[in-house]
Amino acid sequence: MRFIHTADWHLGRVFHNASLLEDQQHILDQLILTVEQRQPDALIVAGDVYDKAIPSEGAIRLLEDFIQQVGGALNVPLIMISGNHDSGARLSFASGLLAKASVHIVGKAELETRPIILTDEHGEVYFYPLPYLSPLAARSLYRDADIKTHQDVIRRQIDCINAEHPTDKRKVLIMHEFVGGAEESDSERQLTVGGASQIDAGILRDFDYVAMGHLHRPQATGGDHIRYSGSLLKYSFSEVHHHKGVTEVVLDGDGFAECLSVPLQPLRNMRIVRGRLEEIVQQARLDACSDDYICAELLDEGALYEPMRRLQEVYPNTLEIKYVVQSSPQGISGDKSFHELHKQDVTELFDEFYRHVCAEPLNDPQRQFVKTIVEQLEQTDH
Amino acid sequence: MRFIHTADWHLGRVFHNASLLEDQQHILDQLILTVEQRQPDALIVAGDVYDKAIPSEGAIRLLEDFIQQVGGALNVPLIMISGNHDSGARLSFASGLLAKASVHIVGKAELETRPIILTDEHGEVYFYPLPYLSPLAARSLYRDADIKTHQDVIRRQIDCINAEHPTDKRKVLIMHEFVGGAEESDSERQLTVGGASQIDAGILRDFDYVAMGHLHRPQATGGDHIRYSGSLLKYSFSEVHHHKGVTEVVLDGDGFAECLSVPLQPLRNMRIVRGRLEEIVQQARLDACSDDYICAELLDEGALYEPMRRLQEVYPNTLEIKYVVQSSPQGISGDKSFHELHKQDVTELFDEFYRHVCAEPLNDPQRQFVKTIVEQLEQTDH
């Protein structure tokens, strides 16, 4: 049994006012190509398919095309759960009929988690999809006020699964949660405020594989067979060093055998460029990937004239500028009283301000120029 | 060939702040029962499936259950188009795969209208679904600036159909438009401002049947085979005398043979009750259908104390009150100048006002009472 595990598509995501639909279309096309080439036995999407509970029509079209290609044309079984960004009811429209075409979209948690059973030469594999379920919703579903944390929810669901699962069959869990010890990024929406959202990986170990969504960095946590595939694309500048793609998982007759990262090539990469504005603009002319999404970390000291416009001339998709220059060690007369300031020479005061902004003192002609102006003003004043 | 024609479900409709989901669930259950009993060869839904472009989750669930029952369990082919209330892209999610289960949801107009072909003992019947397409969208689709009216849109689409249609095959058109000469209700949303929305029935006559949506009163227009099934429920008090239901259509080898109205029983009827408040309240105690949606037309003259509360005590779903009392023939001193009014006796003026509101003059004790108060006031005044 060989299946592809992906998650956190966030279709319809807008990043710094830029729609990513075109990038998402490109990466889904790559994924379809990957499925076509590698012919897996199934494709798993572990939640956050859409970025919003009410997705845009553009986002709906992307998903529609994808399931038409993979579920329809390529005839690869698809198992998809909702994440905390999705509306389960909206995502899983017509899921009853779609399941007949081996497209299993599980949006709504039910008391009993029905497995989707696929077979290979070693027998059956039970895939248990757990659509995202908050502790609040779980209390209502199970009529149990003692369910307080995400750990309580998942433990309850796993208990129900284990009560029914034939022990000689392999089992795969699909869920959208935050497992303790894993590394977060800036683009995930917190499941709860505080620490009650973490799951202890210990309760997941019995599964032959746990296909997780929520965290955007591909990673294993608590065991090589408990994995986040990571998001399809970089969704924040904190993710520039992630290697995005999908995970191919192999089960043999005894369960987990191995897994492999399959990289996907985005239409535009997301990068941080660092340096003085002039250097960045100069080097950009030699940069073949000038369409990438850029965060510029500027090392310039002092004020710059229209830096965003100048960057966008060379990197049209510059989305963010950060100034990483340190404040000068001494402030502007920060520790002087108003009375002292009042006594200070005005040209000297201006020189101090100039040094703060431009990190160098006035040169002689500048100093002379300022001095002349100050004298003229003082004459007018008295 | 025997098929059921319905339209204008408006799932998710809110009427006078009352959600109709429960009523819609009930009527769809009745429709499913009707399909089960009558075993038609197909079910056609001619647009305005949802009431809003972005339907509520409750409305989505109703449609999902319906197609699961009819398309899935009963295995009756379903052909559904979008109306002017629907978002075609949202309505027809996953339609490619659903079509494999004989659920044909056509939300987006394309250059070529692909027929859905069903067969009976006489051969094939071509069903041509035309999802709602505004002249603006049609101009863009056909790249033709000359498309200005709804008539232009439909004529173009019919021309395209006729160019490809094998002339010896029967053909059914499904569309959501306003055919001239038909009768409107208060609950339809105008397709355009002005008269450019009307279609001439003449261009539809060649079809063996035209299954239309948009107008809420069941009716034929321009021929017995060109029909509105009407809405599933009454959606305004202008529709209280409509007989709502679905239309069963029979085609024989030569085309249209006959059609039959199949009434459906709503959970709550929509009615107008007319009379004086006291009479209505009295009679309501004998009314077995006190849960109906009520518009009360009150004949009372003069002011009433909390009429809505009193009506809702007997008819909990009273949604509207209308006062149908006529103004008294003469107005209140309407043709007198301010100067004349000033000279008039105050008690006489009050009497005039009282007659206007209560439709009878002050009786003697009332007149005496008013007179005393006026005198006291006048003494204070001077």
Side-chain angles (χ1 to χ4, degrees), chain A residues 276-341:
Chain A
R276 288 174 173 267
L277 179 60
E278 285 308 325
E279 295 161 11
I280 292 174
V281 169
Q282 284 301 323
Q283 284 163 13
R285 301 186 199 283
L286 304 170
D287 192 335
C289 303
S290 58
D291 268 347
D292 283 354
Y293 293 113
I294 299 293
C295 169
E297 291 188 349
L298 297 183
L299 299 177
D300 297 87
E301 292 156 347
L304 292 169
Y305 183 64
E306 295 190 350
M308 183 55 97
R309 184 184 60 73
R310 297 208 50 213
L311 283 164
Q312 287 184 339
E313 277 170 7
V314 288
Y315 288 122
N317 295 312
T318 304
L319 299 180
E320 193 178 340
I321 290 177
K322 277 186 187 166
Y323 292 92
V324 290
V325 63
Q326 301 290 321
S327 283
S328 60
Q330 75 274 28
I332 311 176
S333 308
D335 48 357
K336 290 178 187 160
S337 73
F338 180 75
H339 187 69
E340 283 173 303
L341 279 175

Side-chain angles (χ1 to χ4, degrees), chain A residues 161-270:
Chain A
I161 288 169
N162 286 340
E164 299 288 332
H165 182 75
T167 47
D168 58 335
K169 304 292 181 189
R170 290 163 294 168
K171 58 182 177 180
V172 172
L173 190 69
I174 304 162
M175 67 176 209
H176 190 91
E177 288 289 350
F178 176 22
V179 170
E183 185 190 305
E184 295 172 274
S185 309
D186 285 351
S187 57
E188 298 130 9
R189 186 193 297 159
Q190 297 284 314
L191 298 180
T192 49
V193 178
S197 65
Q198 292 193 17
I199 308 286
D200 170 18
I203 64 172
L204 307 171
R205 292 220 172 94
D206 276 356
F207 286 86
D208 292 290
Y209 185 77
V210 183
M212 294 193 295
H214 183 53
L215 298 185
H216 289 185
R217 190 171 79 77
Q219 58 195 298
T221 174
D224 207 34
H225 67 298
I226 305 173
R227 285 199 168 263
Y228 289 99
S229 63
S231 56
L232 265 190
L233 289 171
K234 298 175 183 176
Y235 286 127
S236 78
F237 285 114
S238 77
E239 297 170 45
V240 290
H241 299 302
H242 290 185
H243 298 285
K244 302 290 191 183
V246 295
T247 306
E248 188 174 274
V249 182
V250 180
L251 303 185
D252 59 20
D254 298 326
F256 182 74
E258 58 171 340
C259 73
L260 174 73
S261 290
V262 182
L264 298 176
Q265 203 56 38
L267 179 63
R268 289 172 272 241
N269 198 359
M270 189 174 285

